[in-house]
């Protein structure tokens, strides 16, 4: 009597290596930046010779270098062994960036969520991805979409949602001086855009109107 054939076994996919994410900008020249900052301040009619202002060009250069230098990180993912298929949402992630039109800061919070596919993401990496794209001259609309598109491409989830609420000092401290005004932007991809139930759940948990 012939023996039954051994059951076929699907190959176990290899665990992907953690992706090292590094900002692609060249290193800052702090000496040149300090010199330019001093010239800029003096061109506005401000005397930098006083004790309080003498070190301001250097402090200004270092401050902007920090704002434009996201920390490198490893994008670690893990197998979704339990087949979890509900929303994963990190709320109220602190955000700071710089408006590319005036080089003035905008600050606020971001809500970032996704519907897992085959892999899940270390939760702290949602904040790291936000920082990676925020630490450069930005506009809020682009920042929102960059975070969502990048997570969709790297994680291949069933859906991604990003909501950002921020106060722009280029709007509140100058020009119209609309103190207290905030700007909200959102990007929804995959099922969080096409499936009404998933979309409603995400918007409800982030506090946005459905």
């Amino acid at each position: 009597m012939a023996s039954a054939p051994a059951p076929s076994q699907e190959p176990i996919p290899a665990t992907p290596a953690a992706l090292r994410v590094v900002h692609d900008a060249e290193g800052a020249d702090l000496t040149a930046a300090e010199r330019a900052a001093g010239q800029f301040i003096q061109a506005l009619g401000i005397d930098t010779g006083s004790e309080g202002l003498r070190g301001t060009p250097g402090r200004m250069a270092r401050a902007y270098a920090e704002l434009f230098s996201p920390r490198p990180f490893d994008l670690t993912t893990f197998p979704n062994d339990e087949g979890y298929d509900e929303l994963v949402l990190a709320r109220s992630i602190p955000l700071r960036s710089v408006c590319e039109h005036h080089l003035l800061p905008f600050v606020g919070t971001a809500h970032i969520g996704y519907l897992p596919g085959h892999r899940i993401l270390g939760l702290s990496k949602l904040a790291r991805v936000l920082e990676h794209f925020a630490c450069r001259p930005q506009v809020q609309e682009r920042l929102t979409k960059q975070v969502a598109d990048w997570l969709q491409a790297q994680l291949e989830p069933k859906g991604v949602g990003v909501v950002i609420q921020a106060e722009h000092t280029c709007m509140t401290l100058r020009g119209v001086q609309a103190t207290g005004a905030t700007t909200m932007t959102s990007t929804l991809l995959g099922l969080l855009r096409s499936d009404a139930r998933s979309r409603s759940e995400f918007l409800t948990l982030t506090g946005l109107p459905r």
Side-chain angles (χ1 to χ4, degrees), residues 22-188:
V22 180
H23 189 45
D24 57 4
E26 297 181 1
D29 185 342
L30 289 178
T31 301
E34 180 177 351
R35 183 167 56 250
Q39 294 171 348
F40 171 73
I41 295 171
Q42 291 169 6
L44 293 176
I46 300 172
D47 181 11
T48 58
S50 68
E51 183 177 351
L53 287 169
R54 194 173 299 130
T56 295
R59 288 189 290 266
M60 180 178 170
R62 292 189 296 274
Y64 273 96
E66 180 179 341
L67 288 172
F68 296 151
S69 301
R71 294 165 291 183
F73 69 97
D74 293 321
L75 187 74
T76 48
T77 65
F78 307 93
N80 186 9
D81 292 332
E82 302 301 321
Y84 184 80
D85 60 0
E86 297 293 334
L87 182 65
V88 177
L89 175 65
R91 294 183 53 182
S92 301
I93 303 171
L95 162 71
R96 69 175 190 187
S97 191
V98 176
C99 164
E100 71 176 26
H101 300 140
H102 300 94
L103 287 190
L104 289 173
F106 63 92
V107 296
T109 57
H111 311 300
I112 305 176
Y114 71 100
L115 291 169
H118 294 297
R119 300 191 69 79
I120 57 176
L121 183 67
L123 291 177
S124 67
K125 307 311 177 187
L126 295 174
R128 293 287 196 183
V129 172
L130 176 67
E131 178 188 290
H132 177 74
F133 288 104
C135 285
R136 64 191 70 181
Q138 269 289 12
V139 296
Q140 185 174 327
E141 298 89 338
R142 182 199 303 133
L143 172 61
T144 308
K145 193 169 189 307
Q146 283 178 332
V147 172
D149 287 346
W150 197 85
L151 286 172
Q152 183 70 34
Q154 299 297 329
L155 196 57
E156 297 183 352
K158 297 176 181 177
V160 174
V162 178
V163 172
I164 292 178
Q165 180 174 2
E167 178 177 329
H168 293 249
T169 56
C170 61
M171 179 180 178
T172 60
L173 298 182
R174 58 157 300 281
V176 69
Q177 298 183 24
T179 304
T182 58
T183 300
M184 297 194 72
T185 50
S186 65
T187 295
L188 303 178

Side-chain angles (χ1 to χ4, degrees), residues 158 188-199:
K158 297 176 181 177
L188 303 178
L189 302 175
L191 288 179
L192 291 184
R193 184 181 184 93
S194 62
D195 179 68
R197 186 191 71 84
S198 299
R199 179 187 180 96

